[in-house]
Amino acid sequence: MTERDQINRFSGYPIFHLIDLPASSRTGKMQKTLRSPRHVRLVQLIVEKRRKAGLSQADLAKALDRYQSVVAAIESGGRRIDVVEFLDLAETIGFDPHEILSEVVAVQSGKSKDR
């Protein structure tokens, strides 16, 4: 197994090294993610899973010990979701976070080549 083929033993995902990224990704500037194609897809999937679980925004907010307006802001795409919040949402709603992330990763990031 070459260094390039290494798999993280905790997550099962490939290990990426900074050198593997294109030079444009190493400039120190991250693309804006709010309302990006991947963010939009993440929100769509979370809303879909919440509805499928039969939860209202108010139900989910109560289970998370948050205000309903926080859930509404997430679902409207006006608020980013950090990793810990995402895992809490997955646990509370009852979906596999790996499955959702796989679908989000499959979406083109929408990065601009001219920057």
Side-chain angles (χ1 to χ4, degrees), residues 49-86:
K49 295 295 184 180
R50 175 186 59 77
R51 288 180 177 160
K52 191 173 183 180
L55 295 170
S56 67
Q57 286 184 351
D59 295 333
L60 179 57
K62 186 174 182 178
L64 292 169
D65 195 28
R66 301 294 216 124
Y67 292 109
Q68 180 271 333
S69 60
V70 172
V71 175
I74 290 170
E75 291 189 0
S76 70
R79 187 175 180 283
R80 286 185 186 85
I81 305 162
D82 71 31
V83 174
V84 175
E85 286 177 319
F86 176 69

Side-chain angles (χ1 to χ4, degrees), residues 18-111:
L18 187 59
I19 198 71
D20 294 337
L21 299 173
S24 62
S25 298
R26 292 183 266 149
T27 61
K29 293 182 182 179
M30 289 187 68
Q31 298 290 326
K32 293 181 180 178
T33 58
L34 200 60
R35 295 187 177 92
S36 68
R38 285 181 172 171
H39 182 249
V40 169
R41 184 62 182 141
L42 175 63
V43 169
Q44 289 172 341
L45 292 166
I46 290 171
V47 171
E48 177 184 305
K49 295 295 184 180
R50 175 186 59 77
R51 288 180 177 160
K52 191 173 183 180
L55 295 170
S56 67
Q57 286 184 351
D59 295 333
L60 179 57
K62 186 174 182 178
L64 292 169
D65 195 28
R66 301 294 216 124
Y67 292 109
Q68 180 271 333
S69 60
V70 172
V71 175
I74 290 170
E75 291 189 0
S76 70
R79 187 175 180 283
R80 286 185 186 85
I81 305 162
D82 71 31
V83 174
V84 175
E85 286 177 319
F86 176 69
L87 294 174
D88 288 345
L89 286 165
E91 185 177 292
T92 304
I93 295 170
F95 64 81
D96 179 5
H98 296 99
E99 176 186 313
I100 298 297
L101 288 178
S102 293
E103 288 194 46
V104 172
V105 167
V107 174
Q108 291 296 319
S109 66
K111 290 180 184 173

Side-chain angles (χ1 to χ4, degrees), residues 4-29:
R4 217 175 169 82
D5 298 326
Q6 289 179 340
I7 302 292
N8 183 301
R9 65 187 177 117
F10 299 108
S11 69
Y13 290 102
I15 295 174
F16 293 100
H17 301 279
L18 187 59
I19 198 71
D20 294 337
L21 299 173
S24 62
S25 298
R26 292 183 266 149
T27 61
K29 293 182 182 179

